[in-house]
Amino acid sequence: MVDTMALLPPFIRATRVPPYLTGGLSADDEVLLDAPDDRLGPALVAAGQGTYGRAAELLSATRESAAWELRDRYVRRLSAFARSRPEWYDAWRAGAPYDPDQLLLGAQLAVDRVWDSPARAELLREVSPLITAAARGEDRDPVPWRIALDHARGSQAGHTYFGELWEAALRRAPLHYGCHVAALRYLAASWRGSYRECFDFADRAAQDAPPGSLVQALPARAALACLTGAGSDAVPRERLDAAADRAIELSATFAPADPWPAEIRNKLVYVLVRLGRWQDALEQLRMLGPYATSFPWNREAEDPLGRFLEVREEVRRHALIHPRSGQGGRARSAGH
């Protein structure tokens, strides 16, 4: 009998047991890191067994239903798995060289493989044809354009070229969160830490997006960059709080303990902790349930799950000591 758990990537379970637990939080040994949803999980198990059929079906379904946010997330997760276990993707590429889903994954994988290289800018230029092929594979799909925006940042492309890519992405999906994040990161890099301008971009996008759109979380993403960089004094505290408040409203539209909004909620907890808003952070941790994500906790430690659990315990303790340090009584200190 095949041990399917051994075939999965490291969705690590915590093993530490806290001295005590209150506040409606999941137990430490129940917390999962980067856990897949019930659609991605079987595709990763099959990929671990060397077959690509489930991954192909998964991406095909997102393309046919125009579920672009899901498609973007699944492509990134499948690419991460293929970097360490490429056999199943190599078989897919050989068996279906013109499959638009395979072409999309190939473009993401090519970018990921060279991203950490000292010669990244030069190597990324060689990847351009793969991104072009992915874009031609499905004209409606904004995900190749998100990859192209990441590519533009990594290859240090100019603003004119970036603007053309951005317009092409917006024509396909004006509210695609992945493209907005890619654009925000490009602008942050090209503006060299001009956090006010990045916040302006994020705020305008969020104001133009309807309630419930993931783009409502973009200002909080800008706040995270500001608080983890050298720009915490460049943006007024009120603006940071407003970004967090907007993301809290978005979080409330999703069910508790749902893996889909876990990425947004983990980033929001990080921002709230840095702002010293302990009660709000505790509430988001309750909403998170057992789902931790590597980012942003891997910014502070090689063990992101361990760091998440440390911060969670810190939030719980502070929320007991400072019961008014939430939206109704924000702490003045940047805290943590």
Side-chain angles (χ1 to χ4, degrees):
M1 182 176 179
V2 176
D3 181 4
T4 56
M5 290 302 293
L7 298 170
L8 285 169
F11 311 134
I12 308 168
R13 285 185 177 270
T15 56
R16 295 191 301 113
V17 179
Y20 49 94
L21 182 66
T22 61
L25 302 178
S26 301
D28 280 12
D29 60 359
E30 295 176 348
V31 177
L32 300 165
L33 183 68
D34 298 330
D37 63 23
D38 57 4
R39 289 162 289 191
L40 178 60
L44 291 171
V45 170
Q49 295 170 329
T51 61
Y52 63 85
R54 297 298 292 269
E57 292 172 1
L58 178 68
L59 292 185
S60 177
T62 62
R63 175 167 47 84
E64 292 173 1
S65 63
W68 306 127
E69 301 291 1
L70 277 173
R71 183 173 176 81
D72 198 355
R73 182 172 297 184
Y74 292 157
V75 162
R76 288 185 283 114
R77 293 293 300 273
L78 289 167
S79 174
F81 189 59
R83 289 187 67 183
S84 59
R85 299 287 296 275
E87 300 84 4
W88 62 277
Y89 171 71
D90 292 340
W92 188 5
R93 181 178 58 186
Y98 303 109
D99 183 336
D101 305 311
Q102 179 275 126
L103 291 172
L104 179 65
L105 180 54
Q108 181 68 66
L109 181 57
V111 170
D112 290 346
R113 280 173 169 166
V114 304
W115 193 263
D116 294 329
S117 170
R120 178 176 66 192
E122 180 179 351
L123 293 172
L124 281 174
R125 295 187 183 99
E126 301 175 5
V127 174
S128 295
L130 297 178
I131 301 175
T132 300
R136 290 174 176 170
E138 172 54 79
D139 186 62
R140 300 175 303 153
D141 188 358
V143 182
W145 300 94
R146 190 272 300 159
I147 298 173
L149 291 169
D150 286 339
H151 180 275
R153 174 167 58 95
S155 59
Q156 301 176 355
H159 284 268
T160 299
Y161 178 62
F162 164 80
E164 294 172 353
L165 296 176
W166 178 237
E167 290 177 4
L170 290 181
R171 284 197 300 271
R172 286 156 177 83
L175 296 175
H176 187 256
Y177 179 65
C179 286
H180 280 80
V181 171
L184 180 67
R185 298 177 75 180
Y186 172 89
L187 295 173
S190 61
W191 284 335
R192 298 181 181 180
S194 184
Y195 294 99
R196 287 181 180 272
E197 286 83 351
C198 291
F199 250 102
D200 289 343
F201 169 79
D203 281 341
R204 285 194 302 268
Q207 289 165 7
D208 292 340
S213 167
L214 293 181
V215 177
Q216 295 291 339
L218 199 65
R221 184 67 183 252
L224 188 151
C226 176
L227 291 167
T228 56
S232 58
D233 295 331
V235 177
R237 169 64 190 250
E238 292 76 13
R239 199 169 188 183
L240 298 172
D241 279 321
D245 291 342
R246 188 186 290 271
I248 288 173
E249 292 178 6
L250 175 65
S251 175
T253 66
F254 297 105
D258 183 349
W260 166 247
E263 291 187 9
I264 287 173
R265 284 172 172 160
N266 273 262
K267 297 181 185 76
L268 176 54
V269 169
Y270 191 99
V271 169
L272 291 168
V273 168
R274 293 297 295 263
L275 293 174
R277 293 174 57 173
W278 305 108
Q279 287 292 338
D280 286 335
L282 181 61
E283 179 58 27
Q284 291 306 310
L285 287 168
R286 292 185 183 121
M287 296 286 283
L288 260 177
Y291 299 112
T293 57
S294 291
F295 185 82
W297 313 109
N298 57 6
R299 296 180 64 98
E300 297 184 347
E302 293 183 1
D303 174 14
L305 179 56
R307 182 60 185 149
F308 170 82
L309 294 174
E310 290 173 356
V311 172
R312 195 176 71 151
E313 176 62 12
E314 183 179 0
V315 169
R316 193 197 58 76
R317 288 188 289 102
H318 275 275
L320 292 174
I321 298 170
H322 305 288
R324 293 180 57 81
S325 62
Q327 187 172 359
R330 296 170 183 146
R332 294 179 180 273
S333 169
H336 197 60

